[in-house]
Amino acid sequence: MDLPHVWLWTMLLAFVLTWMIFHFNNQRKKKSMLKLAEAATEEIREGVADIIIVGAGVGGSALAYALAKDGRRVHVIERDMREPERIMGEVMQPGGRFMLAKLGLQDCLEGIDAQKLTGLAVYKDGKEGVLPFPVENNTFPYEPSARSFHNGRLVQRLRQRASSLPNEHMEEGTVKSLIEEKGVIKGVIYKNTAACQETTAFAPLTVVCDGCYSNLRRSLVDSIEEVHTYMVGYIARNSQLYDPKSLHLILSRPMVCIMYQISSDEVRCIAEIPADSVPSIANGEMSTFLKESMAPQIPIQLREIFIKGINDGASMKVVPTKSMSATLSEKKGVIVLGDAFNMRHPLIASGMMPLENLANVTQVSQVIKNFNDIRKPMSATVNTLGDAFSQVLVASKDEAKEAMRQGCYDYLCSGGFRTSGLMALLGGMNPQPLSLVLHIFGITFTSIGNLLSPFPTPLHIWHSLRLFVSTMKMLGHHIKVEGARQMIYPESTPMYHRRYMAATALQLNDDVSY
């Protein structure tokens, strides 16, 4: 055999041996990882978990991923593992995308036909204002744009990412109750869907984030939920808005309408309705109400799509808009999060601290208190903003209230620091309650200026005083609920972007999305 052939066979043999060694090592690593995953899953099934999470929505799934990635053994129990169909939670603001990126989950917004939103378009009495998210914001280190999407698609992606980690076990089941000993929550009693049998699970920390209809909240906190209005929503298919990169807010009567691109060829249409007069969907009253009362108020460039969804027989859903102040549970070993913990009007769309020993009940309790302090700048801001907008944007025959509604529109569309400041707050880019308070006073004084112009009559002066008192009452209520220090002197605000990211998944779902 000549020399070239010897070299050829030698190189071929070396290649085969290298491939075999590489393949063998890969198979060994895979088997090792599989054994570790099986061992971790078995430990969790046997009740040996660090954390139990009740609910696998956006917040629960993101939290499970963050904690499991940090090395915790996480047991997630979700009532229904099918893709959820929701009206709310379909817009993630820039602040929410930033939090998602910090968790390494930004790719979950890819591959679900999510649409880019660069701002808000507001309509009132034939006028239109376009409000972009502030591009030049030195305090916000991320692309200032939102995303709209089918909520269920994002939830499924997040569940898949969480389940990909070997020390996370997610199963379908219904949690019946919490296991409590001497004021300390030790675990849960739940019914596994697959096995159809009741069982128990134990962990040093239980996280309850099972949504606004939580059946566990009442046993933990005394918070009272209030239903203010209802929202009816449907999807207009095979449609695209003339401005698909804006969320369209129509200041209609009696309440607002919202339209936004939910996928490349679908538009979400929402109308808010007073709680005491909700038309029936079953007998066609809702369709008639939307076509005859609301459609004529929709801007002409949006009206065709609004009506198309109704005429196509789109499935309609009615959901309540609720508010509930956040109250920490006095029981140890448990934390309540998401809509089970805190709710506000959805119009604005708006991990844990490092911990070595989860079995240390005192340390866990202190971490929970720290979490509440850290979340205050964002939660106080969105709670107050949601309440203010829900009150101001409702049409009224009261001259003072209508002046406030007009003043809010004028302030939003005035441009400059007013528009950029409010849009930074709406986008979750500037979680500073004091900044919001200043903008609320700005809207109030703009409204008073409209009332007193061109001449301050006694009646208009009286309406101005009523308007100012109304603003003070609203702010006073939130200062009382959220805490004066957190609202006016939020000590944790400067460290928000440094420390909050470690706890970001705990309130990702409710603070930054509609």
Side-chain angles (χ1 to χ4, degrees):
M1 185 180 293
D2 54 11
L3 191 60
H5 284 90
V6 171
W7 276 107
L8 180 63
W9 282 105
T10 302
M11 289 177 66
L12 183 61
L13 181 61
F15 174 77
V16 171
L17 288 172
T18 302
W19 179 85
M20 288 177 66
I21 292 169
F22 180 77
H23 179 71
F24 175 76
N25 284 337
N26 268 353
Q27 289 296 109
R28 188 173 62 179
K29 286 179 181 178
K30 286 180 180 179
K31 287 180 180 178
S32 177
M33 288 296 292
L34 185 60
K35 285 180 180 179
L36 285 173
E38 289 174 349
T41 303
E42 190 61 32
E43 282 185 337
I44 293 172
R45 283 175 178 166
E46 291 175 357
V48 184
D50 295 316
I51 298 168
I52 295 171
I53 299 177
V54 182
V58 173
S61 299
L63 176 60
Y65 176 82
L67 294 172
K69 191 176 180 182
D70 193 43
R72 310 294 185 189
R73 292 168 297 181
V74 184
H75 184 184
V76 183
I77 306 170
E78 164 59 34
R79 182 181 59 82
D80 190 348
M81 291 297 292
R82 292 174 299 179
E83 183 175 311
E85 295 182 9
R86 296 186 58 190
I87 295 177
M88 308 303 179
E90 294 179 334
V91 175
M92 182 169 285
Q93 298 284 21
R97 292 182 54 240
F98 179 47
M99 294 179 189
L100 210 62
K102 283 292 182 178
L103 288 172
L105 293 170
Q106 67 272 23
D107 59 324
C108 289
L109 285 170
E110 300 171 2
I112 60 172
D113 201 12
Q115 302 298 297
K116 182 178 180 178
L117 299 179
T118 57
L120 182 68
V122 188
Y123 306 84
K124 186 179 185 295
D125 301 330
K127 297 180 180 179
E128 175 185 354
V130 179
L131 292 64
F133 290 116
V135 177
E136 296 180 2
N137 189 325
N138 296 330
T139 63
F140 187 71
Y142 204 66
E143 181 203 8
S145 66
R147 294 292 185 272
S148 56
F149 45 80
H150 283 271
N151 173 271
R153 295 178 185 176
L154 175 63
V155 169
Q156 292 300 85
R157 288 294 301 275
L158 289 169
R159 287 173 179 174
Q160 291 167 8
R161 286 295 300 276
S163 298
S164 68
L165 298 175
N167 50 323
E168 190 271 358
H169 174 58
M170 188 177 293
E171 64 175 311
E172 186 173 282
T174 303
V175 175
K176 302 291 185 180
S177 62
L178 299 170
I179 300 171
E180 182 179 350
E181 293 181 12
K182 298 179 181 179
V184 179
I185 302 301
K186 298 290 187 178
V188 299
I189 299 173
Y190 70 102
K191 186 176 183 179
N192 179 278
T193 302
C196 200
Q197 64 180 16
E198 202 167 273
T199 184
T200 58
F202 296 91
L205 179 64
T206 300
V207 180
V208 176
C209 50
D210 53 346
C212 60
Y213 301 106
S214 172
N215 65 330
L216 302 177
R217 177 176 59 226
R218 293 176 184 84
S219 64
L220 297 170
V221 295
D222 296 326
S223 299
I224 300 174
E225 59 183 66
E226 298 179 26
V227 175
H228 300 287
T229 61
Y230 285 84
M231 283 190 165
V232 58
Y234 58 91
I235 295 175
R237 305 191 188 280
N238 301 315
S239 304
Q240 188 173 59
L241 295 167
Y242 83 101
D243 178 12
K245 290 189 176 182
S246 289
L247 186 146
H248 301 265
L249 175 64
I250 302 101
L251 303 189
S252 48
R253 296 173 181 272
M255 293 184 170
V256 301
C257 290
I258 305 167
M259 297 176 69
Y260 50 90
Q261 202 76 37
I262 195 175
S263 72
S264 54
D265 61 353
E266 295 174 309
V267 175
R268 169 65 76 188
C269 303
I270 295 175
E272 190 173 9
I273 303 170
D276 58 355
S277 57
V278 181
S280 169
I281 294 177
N283 62 15
E285 289 180 359
M286 182 66 79
S287 296
T288 301
F289 168 76
L290 292 173
K291 285 196 286 187
E292 295 182 0
S293 298
M294 305 308 295
Q297 302 182 66
I298 303 297
I300 191 67
Q301 61 268 38
L302 303 172
R303 192 178 303 163
E304 183 180 348
I305 292 176
F306 187 87
I307 296 174
K308 180 181 184 299
I310 303 170
N311 290 338
D312 289 349
S315 175
M316 294 185 183
K317 289 189 175 183
V318 176
V319 296
T321 63
K322 299 181 178 181
S323 67
M324 185 182 70
S325 59
T327 305
L328 279 178
S329 175
E330 294 182 359
K331 296 179 180 179
K332 298 178 179 180
V334 66
I335 184 169
V336 188
L337 301 173
D339 284 348
F341 180 52
N342 186 202
M343 289 181 278
R344 83 280 303 172
H345 197 286
L347 177 64
I348 61 164
S350 5
M352 299 187 66
M353 297 293 292
L355 186 61
E356 296 180 1
N357 185 9
L358 284 170
N360 187 323
V361 174
T362 303
Q363 192 180 1
V364 170
S365 298
Q366 187 58 48
V367 167
I368 293 171
K369 290 178 182 177
N370 290 342
F371 153 73
N372 192 53
D373 287 339
I374 292 171
R375 72 180 289 277
K376 272 297 179 181
M378 175 65 84
S379 65
T381 300
V382 296
N383 286 340
T384 308
L385 189 60
D387 188 33
F389 269 48
S390 67
Q391 293 182 37
V392 168
L393 299 183
V394 176
S396 175
K397 293 180 180 179
D398 186 308
E399 192 173 353
K401 291 181 179 179
E402 192 57 33
M404 190 69 161
R405 189 168 181 255
Q406 182 64 47
C408 182
Y409 176 82
D410 293 341
Y411 192 90
L412 277 168
C413 302
S414 60
F417 76 91
R418 299 178 184 87
T419 299
S420 62
L422 267 180
M423 288 304 292
L425 289 165
L426 280 167
M429 302 161 66
N430 180 27
Q432 296 189 33
L434 189 56
S435 175
L436 173 61
V437 169
L438 294 175
H439 282 292
I440 288 176
F441 275 118
I443 293 172
T444 301
F445 289 127
T446 298
S447 305
I448 290 174
N450 290 341
L451 273 173
L452 300 180
S453 179
F455 300 107
T457 65
L459 181 60
H460 286 164
I461 292 173
W462 168 243
H463 285 324
S464 298
L465 289 172
R466 288 176 54 227
L467 195 153
F468 183 77
V469 169
S470 177
T471 298
M472 293 303 295
K473 282 183 178 179
M474 188 270 293
L475 286 175
H477 167 73
H478 280 281
I479 289 173
K480 181 180 178 181
V481 171
E482 303 291 346
R485 178 181 63 80
Q486 291 88 343
M487 284 286 288
I488 302 173
Y489 303 107
E491 295 175 359
S492 51
T493 299
M495 63 183 77
Y496 174 80
H497 287 299
R498 294 199 305 270
R499 296 178 64 195
Y500 189 85
M501 296 312 146
T504 182
L506 300 186
Q507 65 179 117
L508 178 65
N509 186 42
D510 61 349
D511 279 353
V512 292
S513 62
Y514 281 97

